[in-house]
Amino acid sequence: MAPNNRINREDQRVQRTYRVLKEAFERLLFKKSFAQMTVQEICDEAEIRRTTFYQHFQDKNHFLEWFIREKQQEFRDDEAAAIPPEQFGEHYAQLAGSVLKYINSNEALSRLLLGSGLRDSQSMELLFRGFVQDITERLEMVPDLKDKLDGVPLPLLAEFYVSGTLAAFRWWYENNKPCSEEELIHHLRWMLERKADFNER
């Protein structure tokens, strides 16, 4: 067998391992919280050996970090070309809507984010920082935005609004979604425009 064929087969095995672990973890999130899970339960659900798991991950927390990064990459891939650079208020509303719709369409991710013990964890911080980075990069594409901010750094602006979006999502989800996604985004846009209308400065 040629070396490149061996490499291709090995890569396929690795990708399959990642896929079955991810799918198994998402199924388990409907049964119990991350804190209650064990590596053995994840392996049993994925029908792989513990030794295989530890070939790729140091422990359960390392696996969780990988899972969150995978979800963030899915978000980037889905939305990378979906939001054109526009005026700040509408641009932010679209960004907030994208984050909200992505989280809400991933029930496993929603359960993970709202699970007890995760709100202040390193994993939640990892997810938060990932969204801040994504939003910062997109704000950099908004024409002349920096000239309207009186020196406010874009990463600080992104952190402020990502915090608000995630807090709004948590309120919405924990209160049994008292309004539609579109209404929630409308509320976020209203609060943004009343706090600071960068378009008219």
Side-chain angles (χ1 to χ4, degrees):
M1 183 184 298
N4 62 330
N5 288 338
R6 288 199 299 270
I7 292 173
N8 289 339
R9 289 195 175 186
E10 177 62 25
D11 183 64
Q12 290 175 1
R13 283 194 292 267
V14 170
Q15 293 305 316
R16 179 189 176 280
T17 297
Y18 288 158
R19 177 176 55 79
V20 298
L21 280 170
K22 179 181 175 182
E23 293 171 353
F25 181 60
E26 291 182 342
R27 289 194 300 271
L28 282 175
L29 283 170
F30 286 85
K31 302 175 184 177
K32 57 177 61 181
S33 70
F34 173 74
Q36 295 173 321
M37 291 182 202
T38 66
V39 169
Q40 187 62 59
E41 287 174 324
I42 298 173
C43 292
D44 289 344
E45 185 72 25
E47 298 183 346
I48 67 169
R49 298 177 179 177
R50 282 170 58 94
T51 53
T52 301
F53 179 94
Y54 285 115
Q55 286 174 358
H56 302 280
F57 304 103
Q58 298 171 5
D59 52 30
K60 189 177 72 167
N61 290 328
H62 185 210
F63 170 77
L64 180 61
E65 291 179 2
W66 169 82
F67 177 82
I68 288 175
R69 289 193 181 98
E70 285 291 295
K71 286 298 181 182
Q72 288 177 319
Q73 189 58 53
E74 288 178 8
F75 172 75
R76 296 183 187 111
D77 292 342
D78 289 344
E79 300 297 330
I83 305 174
E86 300 173 356
Q87 291 184 326
F88 179 73
E90 184 59 29
H91 188 77
Y92 169 72
Q94 291 187 46
L95 288 172
S98 296
V99 173
L100 174 65
K101 287 179 182 297
Y102 178 72
I103 295 175
N104 191 41
S105 66
N106 287 266
E107 187 68 18
L109 184 59
S110 296
R111 289 171 179 265
L112 179 63
L113 290 179
L114 298 170
S116 60
L118 273 178
R119 293 186 180 179
D120 300 317
S121 71
Q122 181 179 1
S123 299
M124 187 64 181
E125 179 71 9
L126 178 66
L127 181 73
F128 176 80
R129 291 299 165 200
F131 276 127
V132 168
Q133 179 182 348
D134 291 339
I135 301 305
T136 299
E137 291 173 357
R138 297 184 193 198
L139 290 178
E140 289 173 348
M141 298 187 299
V142 180
D144 303 321
L145 177 59
K146 291 182 180 179
D147 296 336
K148 303 173 183 179
L149 296 180
D150 285 344
V152 176
L154 285 183
L156 175 59
L157 185 66
E159 183 149 345
F160 178 79
Y161 285 116
V162 169
S163 297
T165 299
L166 292 179
F169 171 76
R170 180 179 297 160
W171 171 86
W172 182 70
Y173 196 92
E174 291 182 340
N175 286 278
N176 298 315
K177 303 178 182 179
C179 58
S180 68
E181 289 183 10
E182 290 72 20
E183 288 173 320
L184 181 58
I185 297 306
H186 172 78
H187 298 330
L188 288 171
R189 182 188 289 113
W190 186 91
M191 289 185 286
L192 170 70
E193 291 173 349
R194 293 304 183 276
K195 276 187 168 295
D197 188 351
F198 294 117
N199 293 326
E200 296 181 1
R201 291 187 59 172

